[in-house]
Amino acid sequence: MSKLSIRDLDVQGREVLMRVDFNVPLKDGAITDDTRIRAALPSIEHLLKGGAKLVLCSHLGRPKGQANPEFSLAPAAARLGELIGAEVKLAPDCIGDEAAALRAGLGAGQALLLENTRFHSEETDNDAAFAKQLAGSAEIFVNDAFGTAHRAHASTEGVTHHVTTSAMGFLLARELEYLVGKLESPERPFLVIMGGAKVSGKIDVISNLMDKADAFLIGGAMAYTFRKAQGYAVGDSLVEDDKLDLALEILKLAEEKGTRFLLPPDSLVTNEFKEGAETRDSGVFGEGGAIEDGWQGIDIGPAGIEAFVEEVGKARTIVWNGPMGVFEIPTFAKGTEAVARAVAASDAVTIVGGGDSVTAVNQLGLDDQMTFISTGGGASLELLEGKELPGVAALSEA
Ligand code: AMP
């Protein structure tokens, strides 16, 4: 990895600005899940132990460029203080005189949190003057907010132009290690499991991994665009009709490259989109299986589960992005659950690449059985697409 790491920095007595992701869920002003704050602790504690004067910044929610107490980071400052066992003051604004004075008053090994960066529209506009003010007197910047690294905002990209050194924090480095590093020369067979609603959102991931992967398993509604393109009856299943040609191209490309591209052999179908609805098996496509009008494919079927679980068992590296069906409704969650359990039981390197598959894994309590679970949705997809993230590209070279 070519970017400078937090490990390489000498921060003793120096002011360090670190972008963290404290975008925590709140209810009535209380944090309902502090996972994101705890996830930033390794970098925070490393810098404090190293004697940094640590200035933290983050966004919270979508206050749309206006100061709004509903989106204040005050609960996050309090929670961080409890976790590190020291007071963490909150600057009432992320820029301006008061923030500057609080920053100047920091001692080595002390931390300050700046108020929500998105109280200013200049944050998402990546305004240069705002970024310069945010950098303030810090010469060192650390980015540990993976979830926003795919956005060129003032606190992720702009700020790097106003400091001498920019490095990645531990959280960011770990995301890059698994979503990029481990996939450069993966242990084989390398299996990619894709699902979710749309082919269009995942097409670039498929293209990027086509050369690297040995096999793909395609679940979710995505599969019906492929099945329709192959000429099967898919009833009322969610299909992207403008992507049928693309689906055929992907199937052809996989064949040319010798990459196995597995669609679920059958589907669970329903005529009602609700818990407890009647369900049937479509039967195996190519052996008389079909989905009638008025019915839609909602999950992979029993033969699909068996085939996919068997594939998972053979893999040595697995990347999984996207549920196999509408897993939010228990009646339609069996396929996603079976795949999640198989991936968890596998002794392969297992990487859950963000979004809804992470939700499914957490719901099933399987999170600690995965090698790595990405904390980013959009950012992890962009890495799997082979893109460089602006918030990473802007960091100093090692
Ligand atoms: P994505 O954000 O593209 O990963 O899509 C995730 C969403 O796809 C989840 O909310 C699922 O409920 C939905 N989904 C998965 N399979 C199907 C299906 N067969 N029909 C409709 N929606 C689906």
Side-chain angles (χ1 to χ4, degrees):
M1 223 163 285
S2 64
K3 294 300 177 182
L4 196 68
S5 154
I6 187 170
R7 245 185 258 281
D8 307 324
L9 302 172
D10 173 12
V11 296
Q12 178 59 49
R14 300 170 78 185
E15 187 182 337
V16 177
L17 176 69
M18 179 155 73
R19 174 60 154 102
V20 286
D21 179 3
F22 283 178
N23 184 26
V24 287
L26 292 171
K27 192 161 188 251
D28 303 325
I31 297 170
T32 55
D33 180 358
D34 67 355
T35 306
R36 286 183 170 159
I37 300 178
R38 284 187 287 109
L41 284 179
S43 291
I44 292 172
E45 283 172 343
H46 176 83
L47 292 173
L48 292 178
K49 226 166 115 194
K53 301 172 177 178
L54 183 58
V55 181
L56 299 166
C57 67
S58 175
H59 79 282
L60 174 69
R62 291 168 189 250
K64 301 193 175 126
Q66 299 275 322
N68 179 344
E70 200 188 316
F71 298 103
S72 171
L73 280 164
R79 183 70 189 120
L80 177 61
E82 286 165 14
L83 290 168
I84 64 171
E87 191 197 7
V88 177
K89 282 193 181 139
L90 178 77
D93 194 357
C94 62
I95 55 167
D97 293 345
E98 259 185 282
L102 284 165
R103 290 171 71 153
L106 276 177
Q110 288 184 334
L112 167 76
L113 178 61
L114 304 179
E115 188 52 285
N116 197 339
T117 50
R118 290 199 192 160
F119 283 179
H120 298 264
S121 57
E122 292 91 337
E123 158 71 339
T124 49
D125 293 344
N126 198 7
D127 179 84
F130 175 79
K132 188 166 192 285
Q133 285 193 69
L134 196 60
S137 44
E139 283 176 15
I140 301 172
F141 171 69
V142 176
N143 190 350
D144 210 20
F146 177 67
T148 48
H150 61 313
R151 305 269 181 236
H153 291 168
S155 68
T156 61
E157 198 277 340
V159 74
T160 63
H161 304 291
H162 306 284
V163 295
T164 47
T165 306
S166 306
M168 53 186 181
F170 292 120
L171 205 67
L172 189 66
R174 218 170 117 71
E175 295 276 357
L176 295 172
E177 180 190 341
Y178 281 95
L179 294 173
V180 183
K182 284 268 190 278
L183 308 186
E184 267 157 20
S185 43
E187 240 196 278
R188 296 190 179 279
F190 172 22
L191 177 68
V192 178
I193 310 172
M194 304 280 293
K198 290 181 169 180
V199 186
S200 49
K202 309 277 165 88
I203 200 76
D204 291 342
V205 178
I206 296 177
S207 311
N208 181 46
L209 295 179
M210 187 64 87
D211 284 328
K212 297 179 184 146
D214 298 293
F216 283 83
L217 300 182
I218 303 293
M222 269 173 81
Y224 304 108
T225 298
F226 287 98
R227 284 300 188 201
K228 185 165 180 183
Q230 288 175 325
Y232 292 107
V234 297
D236 294 354
S237 305
L238 194 64
V239 165
E240 285 168 279
D241 280 311
D242 59 335
K243 295 289 179 292
L244 296 176
D245 289 343
L246 187 65
L248 287 178
E249 272 170 42
I250 292 171
L251 291 169
K252 191 162 154 248
L253 189 69
E255 204 177 314
E256 282 166 12
K257 292 196 183 277
T259 309
R260 296 171 58 235
F261 200 86
L262 280 80
L263 298 169
D266 64 346
S267 287
L268 188 78
V269 302
T270 187
N271 57 1
E272 255 185 312
F273 197 91
K274 66 166 203 205
E275 174 57 13
E278 187 188 343
T279 56
R280 295 182 190 164
D281 183 4
S282 66
V284 173
F285 292 100
E287 296 172 18
I291 306 177
E292 291 166 44
D293 287 345
W295 292 72
Q296 72 177 112
I298 204 76
D299 193 8
I300 58 176
I305 291 179
E306 200 182 314
F308 281 15
V309 167
E310 191 186 326
E311 283 299 320
V312 168
K314 290 191 253 174
R316 299 297 309 155
T317 304
I318 300 172
V319 169
W320 179 24
N321 185 297
M324 298 293 101
V326 181
F327 75 103
E328 297 93 334
I329 299 177
T331 308
F332 313 137
K334 287 190 195 74
T336 303
E337 188 175 328
V339 166
R341 291 201 190 283
V343 174
S346 149
D347 54 11
V349 174
T350 53
I351 300 167
V352 186
D356 278 316
S357 11
V358 176
T359 311
V361 165
N362 288 338
Q363 269 174 15
L364 293 165
L366 299 171
D367 41 329
D368 56 3
Q369 293 175 54
M370 304 296 179
T371 312
F372 180 72
I373 298 183
S374 177
T375 57
S380 42
L381 266 187
E382 288 198 19
L383 283 185
L384 292 175
E385 286 167 0
K387 289 188 187 145
E388 196 173 25
L389 311 182
V392 175
L395 301 175
S396 313
E397 297 299 320

